[in-house]
Amino acid sequence: MTKRSALASLLILALAGRADAAEPLKIGLAAPLSGPDAGFGQGARLGAEQAIAEINRAGGVTGRKLQLVVQDDAADPKQAVAVARRFAGSGVRFVIGPLTSGASAAASAVYEEAGIVSVTPGATWAPLTRRGAGLLFRLSGSDAQQGALGGTLLAERFRGKPVAVVHDKTSFGRGLADEAARALKARGGQERLFEGVSRDDREIAALVAKLRALGIEAIYFGGLSAPAAALIRAMREAGLTTTVIGSDGLLDKEFSQVPGAEGTLMTVPSTPPRLPEARGARTPRGPEADLFAGPAYAAVEVLRQGIEGARSVEPAKVAAYLHGGAPLRTLLGEVAFDAGGDLVKPPFAVVAWRRLPDGRLDFAGNEVSP
């Protein structure tokens, strides 16, 4: 090789390096843009687009602009896996989503194997971050964290009094109940009864008899609205004034029709701050879109600060930085992740079902101190 050709080769390599450095950094968005959850997905898309546009206007991340790559998973586990594989094959190294627990559970192994960092704005399934995934983070509280808060309420508000933990025999309800019982025990309490119950009248009647015999003053109920409502009706008909503490599984119109539900305490995810409308927005966002616009915007902020903190676009290095618990400023407030990828301080509120002046039973605006 002549001296001139060697210099030419070096110049080509240098120019290629500059071109690589100037290439946009791809950020994937896996969200339901079709199907019954499309409203949530559209909100996530708007939030992610707005965050990336603002970051790019400010110069990008480590000198590189961001490029959003959007894929529709329809909140379907099979489609979520297909989306994850497409991202892996197209050079995407960071992903916002999936939004739902089922889609996240199905796709997480693909992201992990491909070395892709994913930040889910909404998946709450507790085992999601307990399966050895080192590249997955979530901006919502988990079901386990919500159950633990319920158990803490039971321990602190009814210290020294007979309490019970009940679930509706679903995996969701049992998971909440297990965490509530664990939190209760950690604070020096112990349930007198731990039992599962369905909507079957005989099962409910037998459980109410046990609650009466044990003098139970409060129960933590892990599960959905229908069996909780049936249990409360039966307790009130039996003359029991037992207080019920539940999760956002109680969010249902049927529950609001139960006269004896007044005074029920419920843990719910805190409402995310509303993302201001983007400049030039043609149509206002609906309430479904608002639920995920802010969290998706915050997910982009998390990735930006993770890359800047790690001083690298290597997913493993970014994940290591985020796992270190560094405080990150986001639209949702200051957040930090633990070693498993969960929020150190999950955003939950405690509300009480109260009778309104017009006779309706509602929890809106009835936040109480945890």
Side-chain angles (χ1 to χ4, degrees):
M1 181 182 290
T2 67
K3 186 175 182 180
R4 180 175 295 178
S5 61
L7 289 171
S9 297
L10 288 173
L11 180 60
I12 290 170
L13 289 173
L15 290 173
R18 288 182 183 179
D20 289 341
E23 285 183 2
L25 181 63
K26 294 179 180 179
I27 304 291
L29 172 67
L33 302 176
S34 61
D37 294 321
F40 302 122
Q42 293 294 347
R45 180 174 189 166
L46 290 171
E49 286 176 343
Q50 189 168 328
I52 285 178
E54 292 175 6
I55 290 171
N56 285 341
R57 280 197 294 269
V61 180
T62 62
R64 295 175 67 175
K65 296 295 180 71
L66 302 181
Q67 177 187 346
L68 187 66
V69 182
V70 180
Q71 291 285 339
D72 175 19
D73 64 20
D76 176 73
K78 290 183 179 179
Q79 290 194 49
V81 170
V83 165
R85 288 173 177 159
R86 284 198 290 272
F87 281 149
S90 61
V92 172
R93 308 172 88 180
F94 302 95
V95 168
I96 302 156
L99 269 58
T100 61
S101 291
S104 293
S108 60
V110 178
Y111 289 128
E112 196 73 18
E113 184 178 352
I116 295 173
V117 168
S118 62
V119 181
T120 171
T124 64
W125 186 52
L128 190 61
T129 52
R130 296 177 175 177
R131 303 187 298 173
L135 302 177
L136 187 151
F137 301 85
R138 61 171 145 207
L139 278 172
S140 59
S142 71
D143 294 334
Q145 291 172 319
Q146 188 170 187
L149 176 57
T152 299
L153 286 170
L154 196 62
E156 295 180 352
R157 288 178 175 251
F158 298 91
R159 190 173 300 278
K161 297 178 180 180
V163 298
V165 177
V166 179
H167 61 86
D168 65 355
K169 296 185 177 181
T170 65
S171 57
F172 169 69
R174 178 59 189 261
L176 289 168
D178 285 341
E179 295 298 335
R182 190 173 292 117
L184 175 66
K185 185 175 182 181
R187 285 157 180 78
Q190 180 66 52
E191 72 274 9
R192 297 282 185 89
L193 179 70
F194 186 102
E195 191 160 319
V197 65
S198 66
R199 295 185 67 178
D200 180 85
D201 290 341
R202 288 174 297 179
E203 283 190 12
I204 292 174
L207 176 58
V208 169
K210 292 178 184 178
L211 296 173
R212 179 194 291 279
L214 294 171
I216 300 297
E217 294 192 24
I219 66 172
Y220 177 80
F221 186 87
L224 301 176
S225 170
L231 176 59
I232 290 175
R233 286 194 190 96
M235 289 195 301
R236 302 301 180 249
E237 289 172 0
L240 299 183
T241 59
T242 309
T243 299
V244 175
I245 300 172
S247 73
D248 59 344
L250 305 185
L251 290 175
D252 189 274
K253 289 182 179 179
E254 180 177 352
F255 194 80
S256 67
Q257 303 303 311
V258 182
E262 186 172 3
T264 296
L265 298 177
M266 181 173 66
T267 57
V268 295
S270 298
T271 303
R274 191 175 190 278
L275 179 67
E277 296 285 356
R279 289 182 293 178
R282 296 181 179 179
T283 56
R285 294 189 302 267
E288 286 187 336
D290 264 336
L291 284 176
F292 279 100
Y297 183 101
V300 177
E301 293 181 301
V302 164
L303 291 175
R304 175 183 63 79
Q305 291 173 76
I307 292 168
E308 291 175 344
R311 297 181 181 180
S312 173
V313 294
E314 272 304 315
K317 293 181 179 179
V318 173
Y321 177 81
L322 294 176
H323 280 305
L328 311 172
R329 292 184 178 181
T330 76
L331 179 72
L332 305 181
E334 187 173 275
V335 302
F337 298 99
D338 62 20
D342 283 320
L343 289 175
V344 174
K345 295 181 180 179
F348 289 117
V350 180
V351 294
W353 288 83
R354 303 289 188 203
R355 186 71 56 188
L356 303 181
D358 62 5
R360 291 183 300 111
L361 191 66
D362 203 349
F363 63 90
N366 296 325
E367 188 167 338
V368 298
S369 176

